[in-house]
PDB file of all heavy atoms in Angstrom:
ATOM      1  N   VAL L  69      17.620  42.427 -30.078  1.00  0.00           N
ATOM      2  CA  VAL L  69      17.862  43.923 -30.105  1.00  0.00           C
ATOM      3  C   VAL L  69      17.419  44.456 -31.452  1.00  0.00           C
ATOM      4  O   VAL L  69      18.247  44.144 -32.386  1.00  0.00           O
ATOM      5  CB  VAL L  69      19.268  44.205 -29.652  1.00  0.00           C
ATOM      6  CG1 VAL L  69      19.486  45.754 -29.536  1.00  0.00           C
ATOM      7  CG2 VAL L  69      19.670  43.517 -28.368  1.00  0.00           C
ATOM      8  N   LEU L  70      16.461  45.305 -31.362  1.00  0.00           N
ATOM      9  CA  LEU L  70      15.906  45.767 -32.651  1.00  0.00           C
ATOM     10  C   LEU L  70      15.760  47.345 -32.578  1.00  0.00           C
ATOM     11  O   LEU L  70      15.715  47.838 -31.493  1.00  0.00           O
ATOM     12  CB  LEU L  70      14.559  45.145 -33.011  1.00  0.00           C
ATOM     13  CG  LEU L  70      14.500  43.589 -33.051  1.00  0.00           C
ATOM     14  CD1 LEU L  70      13.071  43.223 -33.014  1.00  0.00           C
ATOM     15  CD2 LEU L  70      15.197  43.132 -34.226  1.00  0.00           C
ATOM     16  N   PRO L  71      15.691  48.079 -33.640  1.00  0.00           N
ATOM     17  CA  PRO L  71      15.148  49.411 -33.627  1.00  0.00           C
ATOM     18  C   PRO L  71      13.844  49.448 -32.844  1.00  0.00           C
ATOM     19  O   PRO L  71      12.999  48.531 -32.984  1.00  0.00           O
ATOM     20  CB  PRO L  71      15.028  49.901 -35.077  1.00  0.00           C
ATOM     21  CG  PRO L  71      15.892  48.866 -35.844  1.00  0.00           C
ATOM     22  CD  PRO L  71      15.943  47.631 -35.116  1.00  0.00           C
ATOM     23  N   TRP L  72      13.634  50.445 -31.962  1.00  0.00           N
ATOM     24  CA  TRP L  72      12.444  50.516 -31.149  1.00  0.00           C
ATOM     25  C   TRP L  72      11.110  50.328 -31.877  1.00  0.00           C
ATOM     26  O   TRP L  72      10.273  49.668 -31.470  1.00  0.00           O
ATOM     27  CB  TRP L  72      12.412  51.759 -30.374  1.00  0.00           C
ATOM     28  CG  TRP L  72      11.262  51.651 -29.329  1.00  0.00           C
ATOM     29  CD1 TRP L  72      10.177  52.518 -29.443  1.00  0.00           C
ATOM     30  CD2 TRP L  72      11.172  50.929 -28.291  1.00  0.00           C
ATOM     31  NE1 TRP L  72       9.264  52.318 -28.343  1.00  0.00           N
ATOM     32  CE2 TRP L  72       9.858  51.164 -27.629  1.00  0.00           C
ATOM     33  CE3 TRP L  72      11.930  49.911 -27.572  1.00  0.00           C
ATOM     34  CZ2 TRP L  72       9.400  50.662 -26.399  1.00  0.00           C
ATOM     35  CZ3 TRP L  72      11.354  49.232 -26.570  1.00  0.00           C
ATOM     36  CH2 TRP L  72      10.109  49.638 -25.934  1.00  0.00           C
ATOM     37  N   SER L  73      11.076  50.922 -33.009  1.00  0.00           N
ATOM     38  CA  SER L  73       9.809  50.962 -33.877  1.00  0.00           C
ATOM     39  C   SER L  73       9.462  49.399 -34.257  1.00  0.00           C
ATOM     40  O   SER L  73       8.345  48.995 -34.231  1.00  0.00           O
ATOM     41  CB  SER L  73       9.883  51.791 -35.085  1.00  0.00           C
ATOM     42  OG  SER L  73      11.042  51.462 -35.829  1.00  0.00           O
ATOM     43  N   ARG L  74      10.557  48.601 -34.607  1.00  0.00           N
ATOM     44  CA  ARG L  74      10.388  47.239 -34.991  1.00  0.00           C
ATOM     45  C   ARG L  74      10.008  46.498 -33.729  1.00  0.00           C
ATOM     46  O   ARG L  74       9.055  45.627 -33.693  1.00  0.00           O
ATOM     47  CB  ARG L  74      11.610  46.705 -35.625  1.00  0.00           C
ATOM     48  CG  ARG L  74      11.558  45.314 -36.085  1.00  0.00           C
ATOM     49  CD  ARG L  74      10.579  44.968 -37.062  1.00  0.00           C
ATOM     50  NE  ARG L  74      10.595  43.560 -37.398  1.00  0.00           N
ATOM     51  CZ  ARG L  74       9.446  42.954 -37.930  1.00  0.00           C
ATOM     52  NH1 ARG L  74       8.338  43.639 -38.119  1.00  0.00           N
ATOM     53  NH2 ARG L  74       9.535  41.678 -38.236  1.00  0.00           N
ATOM     54  N   ALA L  75      10.648  46.602 -32.587  1.00  0.00           N
ATOM     55  CA  ALA L  75      10.424  45.919 -31.451  1.00  0.00           C
ATOM     56  C   ALA L  75       8.944  46.241 -31.009  1.00  0.00           C
ATOM     57  O   ALA L  75       8.194  45.270 -30.546  1.00  0.00           O
ATOM     58  CB  ALA L  75      11.336  46.283 -30.308  1.00  0.00           C
ATOM     59  N   TYR L  76       8.621  47.421 -30.994  1.00  0.00           N
ATOM     60  CA  TYR L  76       7.169  47.863 -30.505  1.00  0.00           C
ATOM     61  C   TYR L  76       6.198  47.230 -31.506  1.00  0.00           C
ATOM     62  O   TYR L  76       5.166  46.837 -31.007  1.00  0.00           O
ATOM     63  CB  TYR L  76       7.147  49.339 -30.618  1.00  0.00           C
ATOM     64  CG  TYR L  76       5.870  49.817 -30.025  1.00  0.00           C
ATOM     65  CD1 TYR L  76       5.916  50.186 -28.570  1.00  0.00           C
ATOM     66  CD2 TYR L  76       4.760  50.213 -30.686  1.00  0.00           C
ATOM     67  CE1 TYR L  76       4.812  50.715 -28.030  1.00  0.00           C
ATOM     68  CE2 TYR L  76       3.672  50.735 -30.173  1.00  0.00           C
ATOM     69  CZ  TYR L  76       3.734  51.040 -28.693  1.00  0.00           C
ATOM     70  OH  TYR L  76       2.645  51.552 -28.128  1.00  0.00           O
ATOM     71  N   HIS L  77       6.375  47.200 -32.795  1.00  0.00           N
ATOM     72  CA  HIS L  77       5.465  46.625 -33.672  1.00  0.00           C
ATOM     73  C   HIS L  77       5.257  45.176 -33.409  1.00  0.00           C
ATOM     74  O   HIS L  77       4.170  44.640 -33.413  1.00  0.00           O
ATOM     75  CB  HIS L  77       5.959  46.775 -35.102  1.00  0.00           C
ATOM     76  CG  HIS L  77       5.185  46.135 -36.267  1.00  0.00           C
ATOM     77  ND1 HIS L  77       3.906  46.649 -36.569  1.00  0.00           N
ATOM     78  CD2 HIS L  77       5.419  44.919 -36.921  1.00  0.00           C
ATOM     79  CE1 HIS L  77       3.429  45.857 -37.551  1.00  0.00           C
ATOM     80  NE2 HIS L  77       4.254  44.769 -37.657  1.00  0.00           N
ATOM     81  N   ILE L  78       6.346  44.355 -33.208  1.00  0.00           N
ATOM     82  CA  ILE L  78       6.274  43.028 -32.961  1.00  0.00           C
ATOM     83  C   ILE L  78       5.331  42.792 -31.652  1.00  0.00           C
ATOM     84  O   ILE L  78       4.573  41.903 -31.685  1.00  0.00           O
ATOM     85  CB  ILE L  78       7.565  42.263 -32.813  1.00  0.00           C
ATOM     86  CG1 ILE L  78       8.367  42.335 -34.154  1.00  0.00           C
ATOM     87  CG2 ILE L  78       7.567  40.890 -32.132  1.00  0.00           C
ATOM     88  CD1 ILE L  78       9.722  41.816 -33.979  1.00  0.00           C
ATOM     89  N   ALA L  79       5.659  43.619 -30.634  1.00  0.00           N
ATOM     90  CA  ALA L  79       5.003  43.382 -29.456  1.00  0.00           C
ATOM     91  C   ALA L  79       3.518  43.794 -29.387  1.00  0.00           C
ATOM     92  O   ALA L  79       2.753  43.422 -28.584  1.00  0.00           O
ATOM     93  CB  ALA L  79       5.766  44.152 -28.210  1.00  0.00           C
ATOM     94  N   THR L  80       3.185  44.612 -30.358  1.00  0.00           N
ATOM     95  CA  THR L  80       1.764  44.941 -30.601  1.00  0.00           C
ATOM     96  C   THR L  80       0.896  44.204 -31.528  1.00  0.00           C
ATOM     97  O   THR L  80      -0.133  44.404 -31.720  1.00  0.00           O
ATOM     98  CB  THR L  80       1.599  46.447 -30.963  1.00  0.00           C
ATOM     99  OG1 THR L  80       2.333  46.746 -32.024  1.00  0.00           O
ATOM    100  CG2 THR L  80       2.069  47.369 -29.737  1.00  0.00           C
ATOM    101  N   THR L  81       1.655  43.181 -32.239  1.00  0.00           N
ATOM    102  CA  THR L  81       1.082  42.425 -33.276  1.00  0.00           C
ATOM    103  C   THR L  81       1.018  40.892 -33.008  1.00  0.00           C
ATOM    104  O   THR L  81       0.218  40.143 -33.700  1.00  0.00           O
ATOM    105  CB  THR L  81       1.608  42.689 -34.683  1.00  0.00           C
ATOM    106  OG1 THR L  81       2.982  42.412 -34.738  1.00  0.00           O
ATOM    107  CG2 THR L  81       1.260  44.180 -35.011  1.00  0.00           C
TER     108      THR L  81
END
Side-chain angles (χ1 to χ4, degrees):
V69 182
L70 304 167
W72 183 249
S73 57
R74 177 61 179 157
Y76 191 86
H77 175 76
I78 290 172
T80 52
T81 56

